[in-house]
Amino acid sequence: MSLYALMFLPAWMKRCVALVANCAHLGLGLAHRAAIRPRRVLAGHGQGRKRQLPSKLDPFKPYLAARWAETGGRVTVLALFREITAQGFRGHYSIVCDWVRRDLPQREGFTPAPSPPSVRQVTGWLTRHPATLTEEEKLHRKAVLDRIPELASAAELTSSFAEMLTTLNGLRLPEWITEAMTASLPGISTFAAGLESDFDAVTAGLTTDWNSGPVEGTVNRIKMLKRQMFGRAGFPLLRKRVLLA
């Protein structure tokens, strides 16, 4: 992985979230399903179609089906959502949209609109090096930035900071901080204010070849040894492993 990709906090945070999700899935998720599976089988729910749970939409389904048949499927889901909201529905738009697409008959020749990109996809388009994007991803990225000017400004500031970091051109930092503060983007403006509060140290980090990589590697090695020795030995042996390993 290139240094350009490593510097982006969103990508780093995304990997952490994915790791936590996998741990939860492999741990509590599987254990929970394994524990309740025998009860489902004994209760007669082990086979056949999955039982549908009650939904907030259930009282409004007859009305939605009647309106759909009345208009021949030409009414928009947004209009239906607004109508039942006025009647007391307190659920989300996505509940109505999913049910209409899944259970109501679609008119002939109807082509559903493509689903919008996920937050993870857009984050990847903006934080990865442009040279690593496919032509299709470049088109998607351009379409998103054309529709959201604030996001285009954030992408430009992120790219310029990445270039400043990888080329060790810290002399541009004051200019970048000014642009970031002027943009008034919540996350980036706060980040720029933090850089300004420790300006000398950040400038040195962006202009010299020194970095904290060796220190971080040593800390990671000590943590690994600590986990390996947890519950197996006392402090004297752990100390020897840290000093001699």
Side-chain angles (χ1 to χ4, degrees), residues 37-193:
R37 187 178 296 114
R39 288 182 292 175
R40 286 185 176 178
V41 173
L42 292 176
H45 298 293
Q47 297 179 352
R49 185 177 179 181
K50 182 179 179 180
R51 182 172 62 90
Q52 292 186 353
L53 298 176
S55 169
K56 296 180 180 179
L57 191 62
D58 289 343
F60 304 93
K61 287 180 180 180
Y63 174 82
L64 293 174
R67 287 282 289 123
W68 190 264
E70 176 186 344
T71 60
R74 299 185 182 276
V75 62
T76 63
V77 179
L78 180 59
L80 294 176
F81 172 73
R82 289 173 176 171
E83 291 176 11
I84 62 175
T85 299
Q87 298 177 19
F89 177 66
R90 293 297 178 264
H92 294 284
Y93 169 79
S94 59
I95 298 177
V96 182
C97 187
D98 292 341
W99 182 79
V100 169
R101 292 182 175 178
R102 183 181 65 248
D103 292 352
L104 293 182
Q106 304 296 331
R107 66 178 186 270
E108 295 183 3
F110 171 77
T111 303
S115 57
S118 64
V119 175
R120 183 171 184 174
Q121 287 177 313
V122 176
T123 302
W125 298 338
L126 299 182
T127 57
R128 286 161 53 194
H129 194 288
T132 65
L133 298 177
T134 64
E135 292 299 326
E136 183 179 2
E137 289 173 336
K138 291 179 181 178
L139 293 176
H140 288 315
R141 182 181 187 274
K142 184 178 183 303
V144 170
L145 298 182
D146 289 343
R147 293 176 62 92
I148 310 176
E150 294 82 1
L151 194 57
S153 178
E156 179 63 28
L157 289 170
T158 304
S159 299
S160 60
F161 189 85
E163 181 181 358
M164 181 170 52
L165 176 66
T166 54
T167 59
L168 296 180
N169 189 8
L171 298 178
R172 291 181 50 202
L173 183 60
E175 176 186 352
W176 187 90
I177 292 178
T178 302
E179 294 178 358
M181 298 295 288
T182 304
S184 299
L185 298 174
I188 294 182
S189 297
T190 304
F191 175 67

Side-chain angles (χ1 to χ4, degrees), residues 213-225 227:
V215 176
E216 295 295 338
T218 302
V219 172
N220 185 67
R221 182 179 65 87
I222 294 175
K223 288 182 178 179
M224 179 195 67
L225 293 175
R227 294 188 184 100

